[in-house]
Amino acid sequence: VSGNTESSSLLTMTGLHTDALAESRTLRSQKVRIEPLDVALTPLLDRAQKHLLKIDVQGFESQVLKGAQLILPAVDVIDIEPSLVELYAGQPLYREMIDALAGIGFQPIHFENGFVDPRTKAALQINVIFTRRR
């Protein structure tokens, strides 16, 4: 659990993150139950509808996608926040996430700054919206 709740993650935060935002340092650990989206959402999805999937999991994006294989055919738009640098230990960076989503039929259509280092003004994390390729 991070001092800045938006930075809390299942992964360990790196020094790059805390250097840019000291209040994000880890305060404590907390046990949580993890459930794949396929389990949590399959009963709720109306496959006749178009769905947007927002993945905001601080470096855990690859694991979320692995647990969403059954629901992804019902998703037309994906919104993720990939990092440009390693803010969380072992996380995939933006290029890996773009390639992974391209591999399952999605293309990026919009990029915007997310987390910016207030000292250097360098973008550390971006927001990217993907749509299904037709």
Side-chain angles (χ1 to χ4, degrees):
V1 176
S2 167
N4 170 20
T5 57
E6 292 179 7
S7 298
S8 295
S9 177
L10 294 170
L11 303 176
T12 302
M13 193 177 298
T14 69
L16 287 172
H17 195 300
T18 54
D19 288 349
L21 193 64
E23 61 265 26
S24 288
R25 75 189 188 313
T26 301
L27 300 178
R28 68 184 192 289
S29 294
Q30 178 176 327
K31 287 188 178 201
V32 296
R33 185 175 63 88
I34 299 174
E35 184 173 73
L37 290 179
D38 285 341
V39 172
L41 296 181
T42 297
L44 305 175
L45 286 183
D46 177 350
R47 298 208 182 265
Q49 299 287 321
K50 295 182 180 200
H51 297 282
L52 176 141
L53 176 60
K54 168 69 173 162
I55 303 174
D56 188 354
V57 292
Q58 311 305 30
F60 211 66
E61 293 84 6
S62 289
Q63 294 88 333
V64 169
L65 288 173
K66 286 177 189 166
Q69 297 303 302
L70 298 176
I71 68 157
L72 282 174
V75 173
D76 290 307
V77 178
I78 297 178
D79 183 353
I80 65 168
E81 297 179 359
S83 296
L84 303 177
V85 295
E86 190 176 48
L87 299 174
Y88 301 93
Q91 77 173 118
L93 298 182
Y94 74 104
R95 284 187 166 275
E96 186 178 343
M97 291 310 306
I98 289 171
D99 290 346
L101 286 164
I104 58 172
F106 288 86
Q107 63 187 12
I109 61 161
H110 181 77
F111 295 82
E112 63 183 35
N113 277 345
F115 179 27
V116 175
D117 187 323
R119 303 162 304 153
T120 65
K121 306 302 181 216
L124 303 175
Q125 198 173 53
I126 56 177
N127 296 320
V128 185
I129 297 175
F130 294 80
T131 58
R132 185 170 296 286
R133 275 192 308 267
R134 299 284 176 214

